[in-house]
Amino acid sequence: MSSEHTVIIGAGLAGLLAAAVIGATGRRVTVLEQDRSDGSPVPRGGVPQGRQPHVLLYRGLCAIEELLPGLRAQLIAAGGVPLDTGDLAWLGERGWAPFGIPAFELVSATRPLVEHLVRRRVAAQAGVELRSGARVSGLHRPTTATGGGWLIESANTPPISADLVVDASGRSSRLPHWLARCGTGEPPTTTVDAGFGYAGRVYAAPPDHLGRVAGIVMLPTQSAPAGGVALPVEDGRWLVAAVGAGDHRPPRDPEGFDAFLARLRDPALSEFTRSARPLGDITVHRRTNNVRRRYDRLTPWPDGLLVIGDALCAFNPVYGQGITVAATQALLLRQALASAARPGWQRRLMRLFHKATDLPWAIATGEDLRHIGAQRQRPGADTLFARWSGEVDRLAAHGDLRAQRTLDRVYHLVGSPIELFNPALLTTALRGRLRGLPAPTPRPPFATGTGTS
């Protein structure tokens, strides 16, 4: 086994996937987790949004399956619900998306179950150690004559030395402060906050409770800044979340939660919760701002240091991008380790990590800035792109399958935004402006007594 030692700060999915990649090379890996864990699939204190519904985008599921082959089957065996995104009742700004058209196959499961299965796979790797209850308090270069490497300080354990440190500690990362103390400086940081808030509750209902409809997604829009989601998960449960921005954030109390759903622009979610059995209390989550730390602009970048996942770029969870971006960054890390390591490889890899956040950042902040409205002015190119994306969305809401498939590919991060400018879409949009569009896509066929008009 290699004598090199890697320390990963944070044992969320970003940290675990990085550990899986590095451990597979034979390096010794220590994963430091602040939360104490007994190994069971329960929400962690360090992931307050862990009780809310999570959509693992198709690109993310494929990336995790590539890193940990067989995980998809393990998720299903543990109760995860396979579904096709074409069978989701999806209400966007301009109406319902086409329903029943095969699209991307996903597995719907709670985040604690996904983390539990990934953790179990990673912990089984030779040379990987998971340490729970380790509260990291500092990071610095040792001053000994031998030099090199890093020293990780912990509030409740002895310091740990490492050749490579991976910060995967999430939104609350203290790395900017630690780098400032080391003299490297803090990275330029961009924050976009539309003031979204979530309230979620678990319900008991079979996966086919809505008939052919696999789940419900109602996007908040600029004109109607409230929405929600209902997705089936393991053990005959559904996760239902209400979401809203600013003054439209959902409350914590059951009566207020029900009233919030009843005021949405379609009764599907409200009627679902009335037909299912609630389990437990309502949980809320308010920390939904988008935060991007531009470590790629710090020069020189210190050797032996990487930043991954939300510690690098955190997104509004409503778009479901965080896990997928962390998984694609883990694939980039694997590629970098497989090639001959040359001086400065960490700096080059950090640039690739940042590039992997470009598209999801544009999607998340573009939508959130629309909710902020006149408070922020977007660059002209971004405004034109947003308008054209809206035009493609309008085509989809009127039954154009090419438009819907293109939007699906971009949303699930398997396609490029350039695909939105397909000449066929441009021609269809122009024809629609001249001759009018077909009738809007009909409302999905919810099961009798649930989500009916």
Side-chain angles (χ1 to χ4, degrees):
M1 180 177 294
S2 171
S3 61
E4 295 180 354
H5 183 208
T6 296
V7 169
I8 298 176
I9 305 173
L13 283 169
L16 291 173
L17 294 175
V21 167
I22 299 172
T25 67
R27 294 170 170 83
R28 186 163 60 97
V29 180
T30 302
V31 182
L32 303 179
E33 177 183 13
Q34 180 172 325
D35 298 318
R36 294 194 176 275
S37 173
D38 61 2
S40 58
V42 296
R44 297 186 297 114
V47 187
Q49 73 274 28
R51 299 179 186 274
Q52 306 296 336
H54 280 73
V55 178
L56 181 55
L57 302 183
Y58 182 73
R59 177 70 181 105
L61 181 61
C62 291
I64 294 177
E65 181 71 14
E66 185 174 344
L67 293 166
L68 299 170
L71 188 76
R72 183 183 184 278
Q74 289 180 311
L75 270 174
I76 296 175
V81 180
L83 59 84
D84 191 299
T85 57
D87 293 330
L88 291 175
W90 187 287
L91 182 59
E93 182 171 6
R94 293 159 181 83
W96 293 102
F99 176 81
I101 309 301
F104 294 112
E105 295 183 357
L106 302 180
V107 179
S108 182
T110 61
R111 177 159 179 163
L113 177 61
V114 177
E115 285 194 356
H116 169 70
L117 294 178
V118 172
R119 174 191 295 271
R120 192 169 66 184
R121 291 281 296 270
V122 172
Q125 286 186 285
V128 176
E129 177 189 4
L130 304 182
R131 293 188 190 177
S132 62
R135 190 178 307 111
V136 176
S137 58
L139 175 72
H140 62 84
R141 296 281 195 183
T143 57
T144 60
T146 55
W150 295 91
L151 197 65
I152 299 95
E153 300 170 348
S154 177
N156 49 356
T157 61
I160 305 172
S161 60
D163 304 285
L164 175 65
V165 174
V166 180
D167 179 21
S169 56
R171 290 177 172 270
S172 301
S173 170
R174 296 282 294 160
L175 184 61
H177 174 67
W178 298 336
L179 289 180
R181 288 196 310 182
C182 292
T184 301
E186 297 190 26
T189 300
T190 302
T191 300
V192 176
D193 188 1
F196 274 101
Y198 301 81
R201 198 175 198 183
V202 180
Y203 289 81
D208 60 353
H209 190 60
L210 295 175
R212 292 173 52 200
V213 175
I216 304 170
V217 179
M218 292 187 195
L219 296 181
T221 68
Q222 191 172 9
S223 59
V229 61
L231 292 172
V233 292
E234 63 272 14
D235 302 325
R237 297 174 295 161
W238 286 66
L239 294 184
V240 177
V243 57
D247 295 336
H248 298 273
R249 290 185 297 188
R252 184 192 300 267
D253 63 288
E255 295 78 10
F257 182 79
D258 291 341
F260 182 95
L261 295 180
R263 291 193 300 269
L264 296 179
R265 54 196 174 115
D266 188 277
L269 280 171
S270 178
E271 295 185 4
F272 171 84
T273 57
R274 290 202 301 269
S275 66
R277 179 166 56 90
L279 303 173
D281 298 328
I282 295 170
T283 59
V284 298
H285 180 58
R286 295 286 188 262
R287 196 175 181 187
T288 61
N289 56 334
N290 305 275
V291 182
R292 193 179 197 187
R293 301 180 176 102
R294 298 306 302 255
Y295 288 108
D296 54 330
R297 297 177 182 173
L298 287 182
T299 54
W301 180 250
D303 291 334
L305 180 63
L306 294 171
V307 191
I308 197 170
D310 282 0
L312 181 72
C313 187
F315 309 93
N316 183 344
V318 73
Y319 307 113
Q321 299 167 318
I323 298 175
T324 295
V325 170
T328 56
Q329 290 171 337
L331 287 175
L332 292 171
L333 173 60
R334 186 175 68 172
Q335 294 170 7
L337 294 175
S339 61
R342 302 188 305 274
W345 69 272
Q346 296 97 338
R347 175 175 54 82
R348 291 188 292 273
L349 183 56
M350 285 294 295
R351 290 176 179 170
L352 294 177
F353 282 173
H354 276 284
K355 187 175 181 180
T357 68
D358 285 344
L359 175 56
W361 175 261
I363 293 173
T365 59
E367 287 298 314
D368 280 7
L369 284 171
R370 294 178 67 234
H371 287 277
I372 296 173
Q375 299 176 31
R376 296 278 297 269
Q377 293 294 324
R378 290 195 285 174
D382 288 349
T383 300
L384 291 174
F385 180 78
R387 288 178 178 174
W388 174 245
S389 299
E391 186 68 18
V392 177
D393 186 35
R394 189 172 75 96
L395 295 178
H398 285 264
D400 189 288
L401 298 185
R402 178 183 285 108
Q404 183 59 43
R405 290 189 177 111
T406 303
L407 290 170
D408 283 345
R409 286 179 52 79
V410 174
Y411 181 79
H412 283 271
L413 304 181
V414 297
S416 166
I418 296 176
E419 295 179 22
L420 293 171
F421 296 92
N422 185 310
L425 291 176
L426 294 168
T427 300
T428 302
L430 179 60
R431 185 184 302 117
R433 289 294 182 181
L434 294 175
R435 304 178 185 176
L437 291 171
T441 301
R443 198 167 182 270
F446 294 98
T448 302
T450 306
T452 55
S453 299

